Amino acid sequence: MKIVLLAGGVGGAKLAEGLARVLLPKELTIIVNTGDDFFHYGLKISPDLDTITYTLARLANKKKGWGRSGDTFNMLNTLNELGGETWFMLGDKDLALHLERTKLLKQGLTLTQVTKKFLYLLRINQSILPMSDNFIQTMVNTLEYGNLTFQEYFVVKHFSPQVRDFIFTGIDSATPAPGVFEAIHDADGIIISPSNPWVSIDPILMVPGILSAITKKKSVAISPIISGSAMRGPAAKIFSEFGITPSAVAVYHHYHHFLTGFILDLIDKNLVNEIPIPVLVTKTIMNSLQDRVKLAENVLDFMKYL
């Protein structure tokens, strides 16, 4: 069964790990949000790509949910002594990846090509694709500060400002990365990971051509909202600020125009009758590797009967 997973953030990385343990490498392609990519210290940073890459390479810092396990912060500590900016936590090992990525991009390689090289070197056999090789920047229009870059909103301001809108600069002229259309065309099904719908999944869907390709396929989504709250991050807060009561039902309506199935947590089993398509009720909270594998198995079994 060939699967395409749309993913971003920690929720996407966790499900990707579960699917990678269940499916053959050639059966899984992960299309990753790059809307939160940015330049820092002159380096190209791709947070979601890196989180998913580190997770599948078994290098991720599981406690923090980002960065590499066992990393040190000598560079950052020294930079702080020199009065430099230290708001974005780059570990020493993590920094090496950004240095090499930036060098390769300056030499003319695309983000897809660089990512493929890292996958080979880190012995990852699954296909991980950026949503686009074009630079797309998520801007957050806030009530208090006007437009902020996503990292300013998320890291510097700790996602406290009130969101009025999102702007994805460069997305209208962007094209899907090589391999994206082919993976979707060949897939038996599409899974929307339990990532933030607004800033992790929407940018992928808004790259011209991706949504129309997905609508031709069997597609399911897993709600990142459980009992009205997000497991982490600002997803529920954003729903509220847009005047939408945060719930699994709200997540369904966000994606309803292309879904053929929906997955919600056992805690929200009372919401099943509010969703007019086939629903899988299962444990979606992934606190352990066993949880990730079990959820992956349950979702794949569900998709067989859609």
Side-chain angles (χ1 to χ4, degrees):
M1 188 176 192
K2 288 188 176 181
I3 294 295
V4 166
L5 175 69
L6 304 192
V10 177
K14 288 181 176 181
L15 184 58
E17 183 177 28
L19 289 167
R21 298 296 182 101
V22 175
L23 296 168
L24 296 173
K26 65 181 181 181
E27 295 178 322
L28 177 61
T29 298
I30 306 158
I31 301 175
V32 183
N33 167 53
T34 57
D36 58 355
D37 286 15
F38 70 116
F39 289 88
H40 195 49
Y41 309 138
L43 304 176
K44 174 67 182 300
I45 316 293
S46 296
D48 283 356
L49 270 177
D50 297 343
T51 296
I52 290 171
T53 298
Y54 288 150
T55 298
L56 292 195
R58 305 185 187 182
L59 297 172
N61 186 321
K62 294 182 179 179
K63 184 176 181 180
K64 292 182 178 179
W66 51 266
R68 288 186 56 151
S69 176
D71 213 344
T72 55
F73 294 87
N74 296 313
M75 182 281 293
L76 211 62
N77 291 334
T78 304
L79 187 63
N80 185 58
E81 294 172 1
L82 298 172
E85 291 186 0
T86 58
W87 58 268
F88 193 81
M89 298 296 289
L90 288 179
D92 300 326
K93 294 179 181 179
D94 192 26
L95 182 63
L97 183 144
H98 305 310
L99 285 165
E100 184 65 11
R101 175 192 287 127
T102 305
K103 184 194 78 174
L104 294 172
L105 290 172
K106 287 183 177 179
Q107 290 177 349
L109 272 67
T110 65
L111 184 58
T112 300
Q113 291 169 333
V114 174
T115 302
K116 186 176 181 178
K117 178 178 180 179
F118 289 162
L119 297 181
Y120 172 77
L121 294 171
L122 294 173
R123 299 179 182 179
I124 298 172
N125 296 316
Q126 291 77 16
S127 178
I128 301 177
L129 299 172
M131 64 188 194
S132 177
D133 283 333
N134 301 104
F135 182 59
I136 298 164
Q137 187 172 40
T138 299
M139 301 294 297
V140 187
N141 182 255
T142 67
L143 179 66
E144 298 90 341
Y145 302 99
N147 287 344
L148 298 172
T149 66
F150 178 76
Q151 299 301 336
E152 288 173 330
Y153 164 76
F154 190 77
V155 181
V156 179
K157 303 296 184 183
H158 305 288
F159 52 84
S160 61
Q162 181 175 334
V163 176
R164 296 193 296 190
D165 197 9
F166 292 105
I167 304 160
F168 303 105
T169 61
I171 205 160
D172 291 340
S173 59
T175 56
V180 166
F181 280 146
E182 292 82 356
I184 295 172
H185 179 269
D186 293 342
D188 297 304
I190 312 296
I191 301 175
I192 311 297
S193 66
S195 305
N196 188 312
W198 304 97
V199 296
S200 292
I201 302 301
D202 278 0
I204 303 175
L205 297 175
M206 291 175 67
V207 174
I210 290 184
L211 179 58
S212 61
I214 285 174
T215 55
K216 301 172 185 176
K217 293 289 179 175
K218 181 191 303 183
S219 300
V220 302
I222 303 168
S223 176
I225 305 290
I226 300 173
S227 189
S229 300
M231 289 301 298
R232 61 189 299 152
K237 175 177 176 288
I238 294 168
F239 273 106
S240 294
E241 289 168 351
F242 285 162
I244 304 168
T245 301
S247 70
V249 176
V251 176
Y252 160 73
H253 284 295
H254 194 85
Y255 299 131
H256 77 278
H257 51 292
F258 66 88
L259 289 184
T260 49
F262 193 71
I263 299 104
L264 50 77
D265 193 81
L266 291 165
I267 294 171
D268 286 328
K269 62 184 179 181
N270 60 304
L271 300 177
V272 169
N273 293 334
E274 297 183 43
I275 300 172
I277 59 174
V279 176
L280 170 66
V281 179
T282 188
K283 181 182 179 183
T284 63
I285 298 173
M286 296 176 281
N287 290 326
S288 66
L289 176 58
Q290 183 179 5
D291 290 339
R292 301 173 192 192
V293 171
K294 187 62 177 177
L295 177 59
E297 290 174 339
N298 289 342
V299 171
L300 293 174
D301 286 342
F302 175 57
M303 294 182 76
K304 291 176 183 178
Y305 297 99
L306 293 178

